[in-house]
């Protein structure tokens, strides 16, 4: 058993210093409500929503940086890194960017010009203070043989929108690591598509440096072997990997149960075992991994509380709703 003193002094990010940064996604509320926990255990943060297109430039030319600036300030005061999330995505992007001022759909050149203005403005503002940007988020299709998902970016600008986004971001901050970020990254079919896309960008000398594995996982899925295979295949491209949005849901995606008001012992044990196995793999491949970011910090707040089942709570993190370490936390510390 750990002594009280040891518990108070122990810092997860220090325990993992030789491997990778330990990150948490934050919002303007958790930046306050979770500040002690963040200061103690994390050395990297990501804005859960505050750096998305719709938040930074809701109206053309009217940038709103206040919330994002506050996060940068918090990180600076506490000596933490910041991951930028995200520049180009099909969601949480305002309609104006795809529309002409006079109505109707915008032409390709104007759309790319607007993309460039957005990326220039945002990336330049935080130049030198953001170590990695998710430049393009979730551009790959989940279905069949189709490589790219249908989106307004793709419809209007063609598949080159991806390369353009990376070029604009690199020009604005040549020292930031630039990532392609996606979910279901450990699924065999999607893995192949992510690999193909990033390989083709590399072959064209597009400035892409990493693959973000979102890692929204659960108690059984994906299998450890699939996680390992993904890491190996992605790393074979010579890119850096970041675990960008990790959480371990207590429920399978299609489990629609609502009768669970607290995690059972069995769930907590299973979760602790999974965290243990997964972090073993992360440590094994740590020379390829820059940071492991959780999509939150403690079980009192997670986007999974209402998704995909309304009014159902979830407990996906290393820290419980009172910000106390769970068995999952002790496993990844003690079994190192
Ligand atoms: C995706 C996005 C994140 C976030 C989650 C759900 O993974 O990349 O920004 O919106 O969905 O919270």
């Amino acid at each position: 058993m750990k002594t009280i003193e040891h518990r108070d002094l122990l810092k997860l990010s220090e325990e993992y210093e030789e491997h990778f940064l330990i990150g948490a996604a934050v919002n303007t509320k958790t930046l306050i409500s979770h500040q002690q926990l963040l200061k103690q255990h994390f050395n990297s943060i990501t804005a859960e929503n505050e750096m998305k297109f719709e938040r930074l430039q809701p109206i053309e030319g009217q940038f709103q940086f206040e919330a994002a600036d506050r996060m940068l300030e918090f990180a600076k005061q506490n000596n933490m890194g910041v991951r930028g999330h995200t520049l180009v995505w099909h969601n949480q992007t305002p309609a104006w960017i795809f529309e002409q001022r006079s109505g109707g759909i915008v032409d390709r050149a104007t759309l790319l010009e607007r993309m460039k203005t957005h990326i220039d403005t945002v990336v330049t503002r935080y130049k030198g203070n953001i170590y990695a940007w998710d430049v393009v988020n979730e551009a790959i299709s989940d279905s069949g043989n189709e490589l790219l998902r249908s989106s307004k970016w793709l419809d209007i600008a063609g598949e080159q929108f991806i390369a353009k986004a990376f070029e604009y971001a690199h020009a604005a901050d040549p020292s930031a690591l630039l990532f392609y970020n996606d979910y279901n990254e450990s699924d065999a079919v999607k893995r192949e598509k992510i690999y193909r896309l990033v390989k083709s960008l590399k072959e064209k000398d597009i400035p892409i440096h990493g693959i973000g594995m979102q890692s929204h996982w659960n108690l059984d899925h994906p299998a450890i072997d699939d996680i390992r295979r993904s890491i190996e295949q992605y790393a074979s491209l010579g890119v850096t990997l970041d675990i960008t949005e990790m959480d371990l849901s207590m429920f399978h995606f299609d489990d629609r149960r609502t009768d669970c008001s607290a995690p059972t012992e069995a769930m907590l044990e299973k979760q602790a075992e999974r965290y243990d196995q997964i972090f073993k793999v992360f440590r094994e491949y740590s020379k390829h991994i820059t940071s492991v970011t959780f999509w939150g910090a403690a079980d009192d707040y997670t986007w999974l509380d209402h998704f995909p089942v309304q009014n159902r709570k979830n407990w996906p993190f290393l820290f419980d709703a009172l910000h106390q370490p769970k068995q999952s936390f002790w496993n990844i510390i003690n079994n190192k």
Side-chain angles (χ1 to χ4, degrees):
M1 272 313 278
K2 301 274 165 188
T3 63
I4 300 288
E5 289 81 348
H6 190 187
R7 272 176 189 260
D8 287 346
L9 290 176
L10 201 143
K11 292 174 182 287
L12 178 60
S13 58
E14 277 180 9
E15 297 289 316
Y16 273 85
E17 214 159 35
E18 63 181 297
H19 297 299
F20 34 72
L21 298 171
I22 299 286
V26 296
N27 58 44
T28 47
K29 285 191 186 135
T30 59
L31 200 61
I32 295 164
S33 60
H34 290 52
Q35 59 175 304
Q36 286 317 326
L37 185 69
L38 293 167
K39 287 179 194 173
Q40 175 137 0
H41 291 293
F42 297 83
N43 54 1
S44 174
I45 56 169
T46 302
E48 185 184 14
N49 290 300
E50 292 72 6
M51 290 189 192
K52 290 175 179 170
F53 207 124
E54 68 176 8
R55 296 293 182 93
L56 292 183
Q57 199 187 171
I59 298 169
E60 184 164 18
Q62 298 189 18
F63 285 85
Q64 298 189 352
F65 286 116
E66 205 209 323
D69 283 357
R70 237 182 290 157
M71 292 175 180
L72 268 286
E73 192 47 40
F74 178 85
K76 197 165 152 198
Q77 279 167 6
N78 295 292
N79 207 15
M80 296 171 177
V82 180
R83 278 198 99 257
H85 175 83
T86 177
L87 298 170
V88 174
W89 190 23
H90 60 280
N91 270 331
Q92 293 183 259
T93 299
W96 67 258
I97 185 167
F98 304 111
E99 290 164 4
Q100 287 184 61
R101 290 181 197 112
S102 53
I105 293 171
V106 81
D107 60 88
R108 178 174 193 269
T110 310
L111 179 62
L112 290 176
E113 192 50 43
R114 288 175 179 175
M115 180 206 265
K116 182 172 188 309
T117 302
H118 183 80
I119 293 179
D120 270 354
T121 310
V122 173
V123 175
T124 304
R125 182 179 186 89
Y126 298 123
K127 187 173 174 174
N129 295 315
I130 289 196
Y131 64 92
W133 269 106
D134 290 331
V135 177
V136 175
N137 199 32
E138 305 181 346
I140 286 174
S141 166
D142 287 302
S143 54
N145 290 326
E146 184 182 65
L147 181 66
L148 299 180
R149 83 165 59 235
S150 130
S151 73
K152 289 189 178 159
W153 290 111
L154 181 64
D155 291 351
I156 302 170
E159 62 179 46
Q160 260 216 325
F161 84 90
I162 299 175
K164 291 285 181 203
F166 280 93
E167 283 168 358
Y168 299 153
H170 187 61
D173 185 355
S175 64
L177 294 173
L178 304 183
F179 281 72
Y180 174 74
N181 189 47
D182 215 329
Y183 63 91
N184 284 348
E185 71 304 306
S186 299
D187 168 271
V189 178
K190 188 117 173 234
R191 173 203 302 146
E192 207 53 52
K193 295 185 190 179
I194 295 174
Y195 174 81
R196 254 171 63 201
L197 171 70
V198 175
K199 186 162 187 280
S200 79
L201 293 170
K202 296 265 299 168
E203 282 165 358
K204 290 178 205 132
D205 281 332
I206 304 301
I208 175 168
H209 314 111
I211 296 178
M213 301 175 61
Q214 288 191 2
S215 312
H216 291 293
W217 297 334
N218 63 46
L219 297 188
D220 296 296
H221 185 83
I224 297 295
D225 275 352
D226 279 319
I227 297 174
R228 182 187 294 280
R229 233 168 267 148
S230 301
I231 292 177
E232 284 185 359
Q233 190 166 342
Y234 297 149
S236 75
L237 290 167
V239 294
T240 290
L241 306 180
D242 272 355
I243 306 300
T244 54
E245 307 185 14
M246 186 176 187
D247 39 36
L248 280 191
S249 168
M250 292 293 195
F251 306 98
H252 284 216
F253 190 78
D254 35 18
D255 180 347
R256 300 294 145 124
R257 233 172 338 152
T258 53
D259 59 352
C260 209
S261 57
T264 64
E265 276 310 310
M267 282 172 166
L268 290 167
E269 256 172 55
K270 183 83 206 266
Q271 191 178 47
E273 189 185 313
R274 278 282 276 174
Y275 265 116
D276 190 16
Q277 295 166 340
I278 291 169
F279 269 71
K280 232 173 234 152
V281 175
F282 291 168
R283 289 192 302 272
E284 201 181 315
Y285 292 96
S286 66
K287 71 168 192 288
H288 302 293
I289 301 176
T290 306
S291 60
V292 172
T293 295
F294 294 86
W295 207 241
D299 287 346
D300 52 323
Y301 171 76
T302 161
W303 71 291
L304 292 169
D305 280 349
H306 303 288
F307 182 82
V309 176
Q310 266 305 314
N311 299 320
R312 182 180 68 188
K313 185 146 180 57
N314 213 318
W315 305 272
F317 298 124
L318 301 175
F319 299 94
D320 70 15
L322 298 172
H323 301 188
Q324 296 306 306
K326 291 156 69 176
Q327 189 56 44
S328 295
F329 171 87
W330 293 117
N331 277 4
I332 71 166
I333 297 273
N334 293 336
N335 302 342
K336 271 203 302 157

